[in-house]
Amino acid sequence: MSFESLGLAPALLRALAEQGYAEPTPVQAAAIPIVLEGADLLAAAQTGTGKTAAFALPLLQHLSQGPAATTRRPRALVLTPTRELAAQVHDNLRAYGKHLRIGSTTIFGGVSMGPQMQALRRGVDVIIATPGRLIDHMQQRSVDLSGIEVLVLDEADRMLDMGFLPALKRILAALPRQRQTLLFSATFAPLIKALAMQFMHEPREVSVTPPNSVATTVTHHVHPVDAASKRDLLLHVLAQDSRRQTLVFSRTKHGADKLVRYLEAAGMRAAAIHGNKSQNARTRALADFKSGRITVLVATDIAARGIDIDQLPIVINFDLPMVAEDYVHRIGRTGRAGADGMAVSLVSHEESGLLRDIRKLLKQDIAISDVAGFEPSHPLRLDAGAPRPAQGQRQPRPSGRPQGSHRPHNTSHGHGGNERPAEGNRKRQRRRRPAAKA
Ligand code: AMP
């Protein structure tokens, strides 16, 4: 399968070659022909599958072939849940469209409206917006959506999670009925289906990952630990390979800030990214992380959505998310586009229930092992009410791991003392890649 065979224009093929993309990812191969045909599309694809290019490429092709924009009205609207995702989609559109003359702009909150108004007045073909700020512009009549031919809802499930349904409905009501609608979502949750039924026209469906699954190239590790020792265990895990870029998840903004202070006091270069930070601070933290100026980025769930970091070798859950689905979103930051990744969770006794939910959802192995010196005083309760199973023999530490020596628990997946099947380890050692894309 090649990009040529999907029917993309030479100007796009040239840009893809310059990006170093050799062949389409599965969601691109499935979605691009459908979008080029002009059909509505409902796609289940997570971040990391190449979903952005799956809509951006045919969108650019459509815009480049259409009539010259004489009215300066925008012809396409991409809605995203977060500012970071909007900025990332914009970057991708610019990279793929660099040999075309397509104007685009982002519209999101946290920055002043003036420059956005000026860009809209000058005229653009594509708007990439978060719903709240777009509504502000609609109210100020600084945006005209009557010429929209293509609407993309990116990470629609997350937009609904964040309470954007009323905003979405208002925006949809302002768009021409005659249009193409493309909806991307990590899962086809019932609410997503309902949205599609209401606002789409006979959508074709593409699904590249089974609902609620994570990349099979990701291995999952849990280290049981007392809550009070978590910060030191985190330092210990990070110290195993301090050159690597590591994304650490914290459940709360306050917790993220506290953790960064702790890491900095221990001599690590870290920054936090969460909703209380200004847009500038978030952009700077992300840029510093990508450039390697900081090695640890501590993020909350919502802030981490949509940040574009390629092939992170490791993601650490300092605490588990309250909702199991968020674990899937978090882990989407590692093992992307076929690279191997590792998810390490530091889990206290109190979080046993959350871990049980995640195991139920994942349907994938999670290796559970103590780290020497950090053994918890209370065991995890993995099978509601059941005592912790007998422990196996201490295993030598497989190379390429960030942890200390392990004493594996029974994972109830039949691996006994082995954390991972041997094949997983071999593959990981062979294919270790550099950390983040600059
Ligand atoms: P996305 O799922 O859109 O966030 O894309 C994940 C990452 O994969 C992005 O950094 C893209 O630049 C990259 N990517 C997308 N399509 C391809 C492709 N066909 N080949 C290689 N990398 C790709």
Side-chain angles (χ1 to χ4, degrees), residues 384-408:
R388 179 175 174 162
Q391 293 175 357
Q393 293 296 305
R394 184 181 284 251
Q395 295 289 308
R397 180 159 80 95
S399 58
R401 289 291 169 75
Q403 304 98 327
S405 47
H406 298 130
R407 196 180 307 136

PDB file of all heavy atoms in Angstrom, residues 384-408:
ATOM      1  N   ALA A 384     -11.043  -8.553  44.187  1.00  0.00           N
ATOM      2  CA  ALA A 384     -11.821  -7.977  45.270  1.00  0.00           C
ATOM      3  C   ALA A 384     -11.942  -8.916  46.457  1.00  0.00           C
ATOM      4  O   ALA A 384     -12.563  -9.974  46.370  1.00  0.00           O
ATOM      5  CB  ALA A 384     -13.204  -7.591  44.760  1.00  0.00           C
ATOM      6  N   GLY A 385     -11.337  -8.566  47.563  1.00  0.00           N
ATOM      7  CA  GLY A 385     -11.477  -9.341  48.790  1.00  0.00           C
ATOM      8  C   GLY A 385     -10.458 -10.446  48.950  1.00  0.00           C
ATOM      9  O   GLY A 385     -10.227 -10.910  50.056  1.00  0.00           O
ATOM     10  N   ALA A 386      -9.802 -10.880  47.882  1.00  0.00           N
ATOM     11  CA  ALA A 386      -8.885 -12.007  47.984  1.00  0.00           C
ATOM     12  C   ALA A 386      -7.546 -11.554  48.547  1.00  0.00           C
ATOM     13  O   ALA A 386      -7.104 -10.446  48.291  1.00  0.00           O
ATOM     14  CB  ALA A 386      -8.673 -12.637  46.617  1.00  0.00           C
ATOM     15  N   PRO A 387      -6.878 -12.420  49.337  1.00  0.00           N
ATOM     16  CA  PRO A 387      -5.553 -12.047  49.820  1.00  0.00           C
ATOM     17  C   PRO A 387      -4.552 -12.051  48.677  1.00  0.00           C
ATOM     18  O   PRO A 387      -4.792 -12.654  47.635  1.00  0.00           O
ATOM     19  CB  PRO A 387      -5.233 -13.147  50.838  1.00  0.00           C
ATOM     20  CG  PRO A 387      -6.067 -14.314  50.414  1.00  0.00           C
ATOM     21  CD  PRO A 387      -7.291 -13.756  49.748  1.00  0.00           C
ATOM     22  N   ARG A 388      -3.457 -11.377  48.869  1.00  0.00           N
ATOM     23  CA  ARG A 388      -2.435 -11.315  47.829  1.00  0.00           C
ATOM     24  C   ARG A 388      -1.869 -12.711  47.589  1.00  0.00           C
ATOM     25  O   ARG A 388      -1.563 -13.435  48.530  1.00  0.00           O
ATOM     26  CB  ARG A 388      -1.348 -10.390  48.347  1.00  0.00           C
ATOM     27  CG  ARG A 388      -0.173 -10.183  47.448  1.00  0.00           C
ATOM     28  CD  ARG A 388       0.663  -9.141  48.153  1.00  0.00           C
ATOM     29  NE  ARG A 388       1.909  -8.904  47.496  1.00  0.00           N
ATOM     30  CZ  ARG A 388       2.607  -7.811  47.736  1.00  0.00           C
ATOM     31  NH1 ARG A 388       2.152  -6.899  48.564  1.00  0.00           N
ATOM     32  NH2 ARG A 388       3.756  -7.623  47.155  1.00  0.00           N
ATOM     33  N   PRO A 389      -1.691 -13.110  46.359  1.00  0.00           N
ATOM     34  CA  PRO A 389      -1.184 -14.453  46.083  1.00  0.00           C
ATOM     35  C   PRO A 389       0.255 -14.599  46.551  1.00  0.00           C
ATOM     36  O   PRO A 389       0.951 -13.608  46.719  1.00  0.00           O
ATOM     37  CB  PRO A 389      -1.241 -14.539  44.550  1.00  0.00           C
ATOM     38  CG  PRO A 389      -1.966 -13.343  44.078  1.00  0.00           C
ATOM     39  CD  PRO A 389      -1.917 -12.323  45.163  1.00  0.00           C
ATOM     40  N   ALA A 390       0.680 -15.857  46.722  1.00  0.00           N
ATOM     41  CA  ALA A 390       2.049 -16.124  47.151  1.00  0.00           C
ATOM     42  C   ALA A 390       3.017 -15.556  46.138  1.00  0.00           C
ATOM     43  O   ALA A 390       2.759 -15.564  44.943  1.00  0.00           O
ATOM     44  CB  ALA A 390       2.254 -17.629  47.274  1.00  0.00           C
ATOM     45  N   GLN A 391       4.160 -15.076  46.632  1.00  0.00           N
ATOM     46  CA  GLN A 391       5.111 -14.474  45.719  1.00  0.00           C
ATOM     47  C   GLN A 391       6.048 -15.514  45.137  1.00  0.00           C
ATOM     48  O   GLN A 391       6.382 -16.490  45.771  1.00  0.00           O
ATOM     49  CB  GLN A 391       5.922 -13.410  46.449  1.00  0.00           C
ATOM     50  CG  GLN A 391       5.036 -12.243  46.830  1.00  0.00           C
ATOM     51  CD  GLN A 391       5.786 -11.233  47.655  1.00  0.00           C
ATOM     52  OE1 GLN A 391       6.951 -11.441  47.991  1.00  0.00           O
ATOM     53  NE2 GLN A 391       5.102 -10.166  47.986  1.00  0.00           N
ATOM     54  N   GLY A 392       6.509 -15.257  43.938  1.00  0.00           N
ATOM     55  CA  GLY A 392       7.404 -16.194  43.267  1.00  0.00           C
ATOM     56  C   GLY A 392       8.840 -15.914  43.662  1.00  0.00           C
ATOM     57  O   GLY A 392       9.117 -15.181  44.594  1.00  0.00           O
ATOM     58  N   GLN A 393       9.767 -16.502  42.931  1.00  0.00           N
ATOM     59  CA  GLN A 393      11.190 -16.301  43.186  1.00  0.00           C
ATOM     60  C   GLN A 393      11.618 -14.924  42.710  1.00  0.00           C
ATOM     61  O   GLN A 393      11.050 -14.378  41.789  1.00  0.00           O
ATOM     62  CB  GLN A 393      11.989 -17.352  42.409  1.00  0.00           C
ATOM     63  CG  GLN A 393      11.763 -18.758  42.908  1.00  0.00           C
ATOM     64  CD  GLN A 393      12.247 -18.928  44.333  1.00  0.00           C
ATOM     65  OE1 GLN A 393      13.386 -18.643  44.629  1.00  0.00           O
ATOM     66  NE2 GLN A 393      11.377 -19.390  45.227  1.00  0.00           N
ATOM     67  N   ARG A 394      12.620 -14.412  43.356  1.00  0.00           N
ATOM     68  CA  ARG A 394      13.178 -13.143  42.866  1.00  0.00           C
ATOM     69  C   ARG A 394      13.807 -13.392  41.492  1.00  0.00           C
ATOM     70  O   ARG A 394      14.555 -14.354  41.315  1.00  0.00           O
ATOM     71  CB  ARG A 394      14.239 -12.664  43.844  1.00  0.00           C
ATOM     72  CG  ARG A 394      14.816 -11.316  43.478  1.00  0.00           C
ATOM     73  CD  ARG A 394      15.870 -10.934  44.473  1.00  0.00           C
ATOM     74  NE  ARG A 394      15.244 -10.496  45.709  1.00  0.00           N
ATOM     75  CZ  ARG A 394      15.246  -9.236  46.115  1.00  0.00           C
ATOM     76  NH1 ARG A 394      15.816  -8.309  45.378  1.00  0.00           N
ATOM     77  NH2 ARG A 394      14.683  -8.902  47.243  1.00  0.00           N
ATOM     78  N   GLN A 395      13.495 -12.551  40.569  1.00  0.00           N
ATOM     79  CA  GLN A 395      14.007 -12.719  39.209  1.00  0.00           C
ATOM     80  C   GLN A 395      15.152 -11.751  38.956  1.00  0.00           C
ATOM     81  O   GLN A 395      15.149 -10.640  39.453  1.00  0.00           O
ATOM     82  CB  GLN A 395      12.897 -12.389  38.193  1.00  0.00           C
ATOM     83  CG  GLN A 395      11.732 -13.343  38.255  1.00  0.00           C
ATOM     84  CD  GLN A 395      12.097 -14.700  37.719  1.00  0.00           C
ATOM     85  OE1 GLN A 395      12.622 -14.816  36.612  1.00  0.00           O
ATOM     86  NE2 GLN A 395      11.815 -15.741  38.474  1.00  0.00           N
ATOM     87  N   PRO A 396      16.116 -12.188  38.136  1.00  0.00           N
ATOM     88  CA  PRO A 396      17.128 -11.208  37.727  1.00  0.00           C
ATOM     89  C   PRO A 396      16.435 -10.127  36.894  1.00  0.00           C
ATOM     90  O   PRO A 396      15.463 -10.412  36.200  1.00  0.00           O
ATOM     91  CB  PRO A 396      18.094 -12.010  36.864  1.00  0.00           C
ATOM     92  CG  PRO A 396      17.339 -13.228  36.452  1.00  0.00           C
ATOM     93  CD  PRO A 396      16.297 -13.484  37.507  1.00  0.00           C
ATOM     94  N   ARG A 397      16.944  -8.905  36.978  1.00  0.00           N
ATOM     95  CA  ARG A 397      16.295  -7.818  36.250  1.00  0.00           C
ATOM     96  C   ARG A 397      16.590  -7.922  34.760  1.00  0.00           C
ATOM     97  O   ARG A 397      17.751  -7.960  34.351  1.00  0.00           O
ATOM     98  CB  ARG A 397      16.821  -6.478  36.764  1.00  0.00           C
ATOM     99  CG  ARG A 397      16.210  -5.307  36.065  1.00  0.00           C
ATOM    100  CD  ARG A 397      16.356  -4.077  36.899  1.00  0.00           C
ATOM    101  NE  ARG A 397      17.685  -3.471  36.802  1.00  0.00           N
ATOM    102  CZ  ARG A 397      17.950  -2.484  35.963  1.00  0.00           C
ATOM    103  NH1 ARG A 397      17.004  -2.042  35.161  1.00  0.00           N
ATOM    104  NH2 ARG A 397      19.137  -1.956  35.933  1.00  0.00           N
ATOM    105  N   PRO A 398      15.559  -7.956  33.941  1.00  0.00           N
ATOM    106  CA  PRO A 398      15.827  -7.972  32.502  1.00  0.00           C
ATOM    107  C   PRO A 398      16.481  -6.650  32.112  1.00  0.00           C
ATOM    108  O   PRO A 398      16.126  -5.617  32.663  1.00  0.00           O
ATOM    109  CB  PRO A 398      14.437  -8.088  31.870  1.00  0.00           C
ATOM    110  CG  PRO A 398      13.476  -8.220  32.999  1.00  0.00           C
ATOM    111  CD  PRO A 398      14.154  -7.824  34.251  1.00  0.00           C
ATOM    112  N   SER A 399      17.406  -6.684  31.159  1.00  0.00           N
ATOM    113  CA  SER A 399      18.074  -5.436  30.795  1.00  0.00           C
ATOM    114  C   SER A 399      17.106  -4.532  30.059  1.00  0.00           C
ATOM    115  O   SER A 399      16.098  -4.971  29.539  1.00  0.00           O
ATOM    116  CB  SER A 399      19.276  -5.733  29.913  1.00  0.00           C
ATOM    117  OG  SER A 399      18.859  -6.431  28.786  1.00  0.00           O
ATOM    118  N   GLY A 400      17.434  -3.265  30.007  1.00  0.00           N
ATOM    119  CA  GLY A 400      16.591  -2.293  29.297  1.00  0.00           C
ATOM    120  C   GLY A 400      15.410  -1.854  30.119  1.00  0.00           C
ATOM    121  O   GLY A 400      14.500  -1.240  29.626  1.00  0.00           O
ATOM    122  N   ARG A 401      15.389  -2.168  31.382  1.00  0.00           N
ATOM    123  CA  ARG A 401      14.268  -1.790  32.239  1.00  0.00           C
ATOM    124  C   ARG A 401      14.642  -0.626  33.136  1.00  0.00           C
ATOM    125  O   ARG A 401      15.781  -0.513  33.550  1.00  0.00           O
ATOM    126  CB  ARG A 401      13.895  -2.961  33.139  1.00  0.00           C
ATOM    127  CG  ARG A 401      13.249  -4.065  32.388  1.00  0.00           C
ATOM    128  CD  ARG A 401      11.877  -3.605  31.929  1.00  0.00           C
ATOM    129  NE  ARG A 401      11.323  -4.536  30.992  1.00  0.00           N
ATOM    130  CZ  ARG A 401      10.824  -5.704  31.358  1.00  0.00           C
ATOM    131  NH1 ARG A 401      10.828  -6.049  32.609  1.00  0.00           N
ATOM    132  NH2 ARG A 401      10.320  -6.487  30.460  1.00  0.00           N
ATOM    133  N   PRO A 402      13.691   0.163  33.516  1.00  0.00           N
ATOM    134  CA  PRO A 402      14.039   1.271  34.390  1.00  0.00           C
ATOM    135  C   PRO A 402      13.975   0.909  35.862  1.00  0.00           C
ATOM    136  O   PRO A 402      14.368   1.682  36.697  1.00  0.00           O
ATOM    137  CB  PRO A 402      12.963   2.297  34.066  1.00  0.00           C
ATOM    138  CG  PRO A 402      11.765   1.464  33.756  1.00  0.00           C
ATOM    139  CD  PRO A 402      12.305   0.206  33.122  1.00  0.00           C
ATOM    140  N   GLN A 403      13.463  -0.250  36.209  1.00  0.00           N
ATOM    141  CA  GLN A 403      13.196  -0.516  37.617  1.00  0.00           C
ATOM    142  C   GLN A 403      14.392  -1.100  38.344  1.00  0.00           C
ATOM    143  O   GLN A 403      15.377  -1.498  37.754  1.00  0.00           O
ATOM    144  CB  GLN A 403      12.051  -1.518  37.758  1.00  0.00           C
ATOM    145  CG  GLN A 403      10.809  -1.082  37.060  1.00  0.00           C
ATOM    146  CD  GLN A 403      10.699  -1.731  35.699  1.00  0.00           C
ATOM    147  OE1 GLN A 403      11.690  -1.982  35.026  1.00  0.00           O
ATOM    148  NE2 GLN A 403       9.495  -1.981  35.286  1.00  0.00           N
ATOM    149  N   GLY A 404      14.243  -1.193  39.664  1.00  0.00           N
ATOM    150  CA  GLY A 404      15.228  -1.891  40.463  1.00  0.00           C
ATOM    151  C   GLY A 404      14.974  -3.382  40.372  1.00  0.00           C
ATOM    152  O   GLY A 404      14.255  -3.852  39.502  1.00  0.00           O
ATOM    153  N   SER A 405      15.535  -4.156  41.291  1.00  0.00           N
ATOM    154  CA  SER A 405      15.297  -5.590  41.217  1.00  0.00           C
ATOM    155  C   SER A 405      13.859  -5.897  41.620  1.00  0.00           C
ATOM    156  O   SER A 405      13.271  -5.224  42.453  1.00  0.00           O
ATOM    157  CB  SER A 405      16.280  -6.316  42.120  1.00  0.00           C
ATOM    158  OG  SER A 405      16.324  -5.686  43.361  1.00  0.00           O
ATOM    159  N   HIS A 406      13.290  -6.897  41.027  1.00  0.00           N
ATOM    160  CA  HIS A 406      11.870  -7.166  41.180  1.00  0.00           C
ATOM    161  C   HIS A 406      11.589  -8.443  41.914  1.00  0.00           C
ATOM    162  O   HIS A 406      12.342  -9.385  41.818  1.00  0.00           O
ATOM    163  CB  HIS A 406      11.215  -7.296  39.789  1.00  0.00           C
ATOM    164  CG  HIS A 406      11.325  -6.056  39.015  1.00  0.00           C
ATOM    165  ND1 HIS A 406      11.779  -6.018  37.725  1.00  0.00           N
ATOM    166  CD2 HIS A 406      11.076  -4.792  39.370  1.00  0.00           C
ATOM    167  CE1 HIS A 406      11.790  -4.782  37.316  1.00  0.00           C
ATOM    168  NE2 HIS A 406      11.364  -4.014  38.282  1.00  0.00           N
ATOM    169  N   ARG A 407      10.514  -8.422  42.618  1.00  0.00           N
ATOM    170  CA  ARG A 407      10.009  -9.668  43.160  1.00  0.00           C
ATOM    171  C   ARG A 407       8.606  -9.820  42.590  1.00  0.00           C
ATOM    172  O   ARG A 407       7.661  -9.217  43.086  1.00  0.00           O
ATOM    173  CB  ARG A 407       9.999  -9.612  44.682  1.00  0.00           C
ATOM    174  CG  ARG A 407       9.856 -10.954  45.310  1.00  0.00           C
ATOM    175  CD  ARG A 407       9.849 -10.835  46.801  1.00  0.00           C
ATOM    176  NE  ARG A 407      10.999 -10.105  47.309  1.00  0.00           N
ATOM    177  CZ  ARG A 407      10.878  -9.177  48.249  1.00  0.00           C
ATOM    178  NH1 ARG A 407       9.717  -8.879  48.749  1.00  0.00           N
ATOM    179  NH2 ARG A 407      11.949  -8.569  48.689  1.00  0.00           N
ATOM    180  N   PRO A 408       8.479 -10.594  41.526  1.00  0.00           N
ATOM    181  CA  PRO A 408       7.194 -10.602  40.824  1.00  0.00           C
ATOM    182  C   PRO A 408       6.076 -11.193  41.677  1.00  0.00           C
ATOM    183  O   PRO A 408       6.298 -12.109  42.452  1.00  0.00           O
ATOM    184  CB  PRO A 408       7.452 -11.492  39.614  1.00  0.00           C
ATOM    185  CG  PRO A 408       8.933 -11.642  39.533  1.00  0.00           C
ATOM    186  CD  PRO A 408       9.464 -11.452  40.911  1.00  0.00           C
TER     187      PRO A 408
END
